[in-house]
Each structure stands twice: as structure tokens, then as C-alpha cells.
Amino acid sequence: PGCVREDAILVVQNNGVSPCLYLLGGQTETEEGLSSCLTDGYVYNPQLGKWSSLGSDFPKGICAAVASGANHILLFQKEPEDTQHLKKENTLWKYHTITQTLVKSECIPGTYDTMQVLQRNRSFVILGSNASSGTNRLYSLQGDIVPLEKGLGLVNILVIIGYFAVLAGIGIYFSRRQKSTNDYFKGGGRIPWWAAGLSLFGTALSAITFMAIPSKAYATNWSYVLFNTGIVFVAPVIVYVFIPFFRKLNITTAYEYLEIRFNVFIRIICSLAFIIFQVGRMGVVLFLPSIALNVVTGLDIFLCIGIMGVCSILYTMIGGIEAVVWTDAIQVIILLGGAIFAVIYISCSLPGGLGETIDIAVANGKFDLGATNFDLKDATMWTVIIAACFTHLTTYGTDQSMVQRYLTTSSMKEARKSVWTNAILTVPATLIFFFIGTALYAYYKVYPENLSISIPNGDAIFPWYIFTQLPVGIVGLLISGIFAAAMSTLSGSMNSAATAYIVDIYSRFFHKGEGGNELRAARMATCVIGIISLSFAFLMATWNIASLWDEFNKILGLILGSMGGLFMLGMLTKRANSGGAIIGIVASIIVQLFVARFQTFHLLLYTASGFISCFVIGYLASLFFKKK
């Protein structure tokens, strides 16, 4: 679109959702036959297949551009020939693709008629030519993007150390109450409903979520808010279908039910799939937040991984599920307290306060909930709602790390209260975290000069704001919050994976009966699973293989998508049997692979397709077997 032009600048950069092609400036010929510099820009989105205008506020004479960091474009401007300035100079500008703001950065030494920029990591080389002397001359100029020189400071370090000391104390305190595996895995039924509810919430809210939700709202809009609050839609099913089954059977793991209802083979396969998935998940929950903290604060990535991993292993191993639940409760309070403070502080940082934050957000469509048309290939409102129902039904109904919380309370009534506590807490918490992202957008729209041009990951935007803008002490508290979000997921996953191993495999095949030996085995299993996960995180940090998680999560997600359908098949039908269930699982995996290969549905609906295919095919296949 736009007028015919030549010498326009092309550069590829992410717009917060996907890589796009940016076309900026150039020259056009006027009616008088003279050359005129253009100041407009356009962006082409390959996913949408269309061009959009970026306005006409770009400087004249852009002669080179390079992408920098997650969302910046560095623009190199030569002084246009029609300028009236006596002093000719070249200038560096910073353009941000999410906030669409342009900031004049600094002057470039020397003047050049043409410029070419080569970039590698945080360094770039300008090759410029200047023919004003009458001869062709080539100049080389090197520049570096200097990282922020700021340490955590003594106060923030003391806050973080104090936080870890409290966690260690909780683990030691509850270790004295561990007399059997019933105490270790179910807390002896001593845990109150409100603490179990906070623990459910803390387990679901990982450090990735703590950073990813604000990042998503900052880069796009509120279209995923319905997905995060989906537990409200499925809570009645969890409360009135799943919990009665688990409580009345007095089981320790969700997979014990699968043996009672179907056979031991299905129980072992599902339990092993869960354990492998949790080990991979824990490795990533350690690795990804450590990247953000390393980039933003300069803390060594191996130190971050080691601190979170070792501390989580220690208090989970010695304190059991009681230590997990009570530390989760404390961590949730830190998380939500810090998040509420961040919302208030960000809004008050703007000249117009909260009112200006909301005005900027509304003007830029940041509160949109997505398209309302029914298109299962796109993340429309209906796609998100359907995906939320099936995903939360599978997670809260079959994931051992969730189911185990229902079994730690003293009664079915208490277990139901814990689910409602989590569901009710999720709604305001989700709104708070989404509003943090929206407030960050408004803040950096007004103060774009405070954005980092070197951070390679958009998920680090909230940690960046925390580290650069918040007061001393609060920085330490909120960095502790990031640690807290990671460790609440780690401890829950570690204990539940150990529970699945001891109850479903160890006790079933290697050792039968209660006692000290089984309690020692439970602690050893927790330690070993934690060390394997820690090693997996170190491996990703050493080999830079973060992309492996995408494939790992995709494959296991396709397999685990059938779990919800399998449980519902057993709980809602009498006709279903083990033969039909096995066929349902296999058929569901095949359907999932087909859906992933041909992208039949949006990726959010993978769990839904696995759930439905396992339930329907499993039930129909059961009709061919006599055993009910």
C-alpha cells in the first residue's frame, strides 16, 4: 500500500505475537520530478496475510535498520538533503513494535551518505560511505548495546535470603510429624480446606504463568482471560463427580481408580506418563524463569536453577505434602500481594494515574476478549471457552498434583471447599495479572525510553519493570515471588510424582506394607525425581535446547489429552471396560497426531479433541467386549 517508492528499508521483527515484515521510509518522486523522503511505515503479518499502516511519524532519511532484542527495531538515519540544519549528523532511533513508539536515542559519530548495518548479538558494525571529499571512502564504526549496570543491592538480597530461610524452617517443622506414608502423601487428613485451596491455586500458577500472563496482556489483549478462569466452568463437575469417587474409595493416587475400574496395565501406563511429564515440566519450570532473571538482573542462570531446585528438593523431601501445602499458601500470599502492589505502583507512575492507564488501554483495544465468530481454527472467544473447559477438566480431575490436594483434607465437604476456594481465587488473580500486562503497556507507551533493547524474550517484560522501576525491598520481594511461583509448582510436582511412583509402582511390585522403609523410599523417590528434574534444567541451560521442551510438551500433551476422557469414561458409564478403554487411548493418540499434523483445530483444542475421541471411541469399542 501507499505511494510508489524506492530505497525503502525492510526488517523482520516480532510484533508480540509472531514475526512480521516492517517496511519503513524510502523515497518517491514528486509531480515536479524531484525526489522526496517518505516518513510512513507499513507492517506485513504473514499469519493474517495483510498489510497495516504504522502512521507517518518516522524520521526522514532512514537508510538502515536492524532488529534488536524481543521487539525493538534500531533505525539509522542520515540527515536528509533538504534539511535546514547547519550541522549535518547521523542519528540512531529506537522503534518498539508493541507500543509502536519511536524514541530518538543518540547521534552517530561522523556523517555518511549511505549506511549498511551488520549485527551480532549485542554488537553491530556500521559500514558507511562519504563521497563529499570527492573520492569514495568506506568507514567502519562499531557499536555495542551496553547492558544495565545495576545490582540487586544488600536489602533485596536479605529479603530473598529471608524468604528461603522461612521455607527451610517450614520443611524442618513438618518433618517431625511424618510417621508414615499416609502422613507424607496425605498429611494425615490434617490440612484445612482453605490451605488446600491456596495450594491448588499455587500449583497451577507457575513462574512461567507469573511472567507469561502479564506478557500476553502487554503484547496482545485479554482474549485468554476466559481460558485462565475456565476452572469456574468445570468446578461443579470436579466437586460432584470426581471428588466423591476419589474420597469414597480412600485412594492415594488418581490412578488407583483406573485399576479398580479397568485393569492394572492402564493404571501403570497412565502413572508412568504422569511421572515423565512432571519431570519434564519441573525442568522447564526451573529453566525458563532462570533465563528471565539472568537477563534482567544478571544473576547467574545456573545459580538461579540451583537455588530453586535444591531448596525445593530439601523442604519437599523432609516435610512431605504438609510442607508443600503450607509453603504454597505462603507463596500465594506473596505472589498476590506483590501483584496488587505492582498494579497500584505502575498506575500511579503515569501522570494521569489509573484513569490514564485505562484510557490508553481502551484506545488501543487492550481489553478486547477476542472475536465472537465460531472458528475452531482461530483463538476466538468460543475456541478459548471450549478449550478452557476440557483443559481444566483434565487438569483438575486427573492430574495427581491436583487430586492429591483433595485427599489431604479431613472430609469430602472440606475437599469441595478447597476446590471452590481455588476457583473463586482464580478469577480476581487472573484479572490482576492481566491488568499488570495492560498497565505495563500504558506505562511503556508513555515512557518508551525505559524499555530494554537487548532483552531477547518478551516474557521478561514484568521482571524487567520490577528490577528497573520498583523501590528497594519490593524488588527483592517480587523476585522472591518469581522464585515462589516456580517452587510452588516444583514442590507439588515433586511430591505428586513421588506419590505416583511409590503407590502405583513401588508398593504394587517391589514392597508391600506400611512402615519406616516405605517412608524412607518415599523421601528417596522425591529426592531422585527432584535431582533428575534439576539435571534436565541444567542440561537445557548448558546446551541451549529450550526448543526441545516445545516438542516434549507437544508429544506428551497429545498423549495426556486422552486422560480426562478415560476417567470420565469410567465414572459416567457402566458399559465401558478395559478392552474398550485401551482402544480409546490408542485411537485418541492417533486422532491427536492427525489433528497436530494437519492443524485441524487450534492448538488450544488439542486436549478437547483427545478427551472427546477417547471417551466416544472407548465407549463404542467397549460394546464389542462382553465384560462390563
Side-chain angles (χ1 to χ4, degrees), residues 169-491:
I170 291 173
I172 294 170
Y173 174 78
F174 284 108
S175 66
R176 301 169 183 172
R177 304 171 70 172
Q178 310 301 316
K179 307 299 181 184
S180 67
T181 52
N182 182 60
D183 291 326
Y184 194 77
F185 293 137
K186 298 169 72 172
R190 295 184 292 264
I191 295 173
W193 59 268
W194 58 269
L198 289 175
S199 181
L200 280 170
F201 177 79
T203 300
L205 181 67
S206 68
I208 302 170
T209 311
F210 186 77
M211 297 184 297
I213 291 180
S215 170
K216 192 75 176 175
Y218 164 76
T220 57
N221 52 35
W222 284 31
S223 57
Y224 279 73
V225 74
L226 295 173
F227 183 84
N228 287 78
T229 55
I231 178 59
V232 175
F233 304 137
V234 303
V237 182
I238 302 299
V239 166
Y240 296 108
V241 177
F242 283 89
I243 287 181
F245 270 88
F246 295 140
R247 295 289 310 195
K248 288 177 181 177
L249 291 170
N250 193 30
I251 56 179
T252 303
T253 73
Y255 313 109
E256 286 183 80
Y257 167 72
L258 294 179
E259 179 179 359
I260 298 170
R261 180 63 179 83
F262 297 117
N263 60 30
V264 67
F265 175 76
I266 293 176
R267 172 186 178 180
I268 298 302
I269 290 297
C270 291
S271 185
L272 283 174
F274 169 78
I275 293 170
I276 295 170
F277 179 77
Q278 291 301 324
V279 167
R281 184 190 185 205
M282 284 186 281
V284 173
V285 166
L286 280 168
F287 176 57
L288 292 184
S290 298
I291 292 179
L293 290 171
N294 168 254
V295 169
V296 171
T297 67
L299 286 172
D300 184 76
I301 190 169
F302 294 99
L303 178 64
C304 292
I305 293 172
I307 289 173
M308 288 189 289
V310 172
C311 188
S312 297
I313 290 171
L314 287 176
Y315 79 74
T316 306
M317 180 179 71
I318 64 175
I321 191 65
E322 282 190 284
V324 170
V325 169
W326 286 108
T327 52
D328 281 354
I330 292 173
Q331 287 159 344
V332 165
I333 293 170
I334 292 174
L335 280 173
L336 293 183
I340 292 169
F341 177 86
V343 167
I344 297 170
Y345 194 87
I346 296 170
S347 298
C348 291
S349 300
L350 296 179
L354 181 62
E356 185 178 4
T357 302
I358 294 174
D359 289 342
I360 293 174
V362 171
N364 291 273
K366 304 304 287 185
F367 291 125
D368 291 350
L369 294 178
T372 56
N373 60 307
F374 193 81
D375 182 3
L376 297 182
K377 289 187 177 182
D378 192 16
T380 64
M381 188 184 300
W382 295 110
T383 299
V384 171
I385 291 174
I386 294 170
C389 290
F390 284 99
T391 300
H392 288 293
L393 197 60
T394 300
T395 301
Y396 285 90
T398 69
D399 190 314
Q400 172 61 23
S401 59
M402 298 294 183
V403 173
Q404 196 167 345
R405 303 305 192 280
Y406 314 149
L407 305 173
T408 58
T409 55
S410 58
S411 66
M412 189 183 301
K413 184 179 179 181
E414 297 281 287
R416 285 172 169 169
K417 283 183 180 179
S418 71
V419 174
W420 286 120
T421 300
N422 171 65
I424 293 169
L425 189 62
T426 298
V427 176
T430 297
L431 296 178
I432 290 170
F433 281 110
F434 269 88
F435 195 82
I436 287 175
T438 302
L440 286 172
Y441 176 86
Y443 175 82
Y444 286 119
K445 187 83 172 174
V446 176
Y447 302 108
E449 64 277 7
N450 292 338
L451 283 162
S452 169
I453 62 173
S454 60
I455 288 180
N457 190 337
D459 284 345
I461 187 66
F462 188 31
W464 172 259
Y465 178 85
I466 290 170
F467 188 62
T468 58
Q469 303 299 324
L470 291 185
V472 175
I474 301 298
V475 173
L477 188 65
L478 278 175
I479 287 178
S480 296
I482 295 175
F483 282 126
M487 292 167 64
S488 63
T489 304
L490 284 172
S491 59

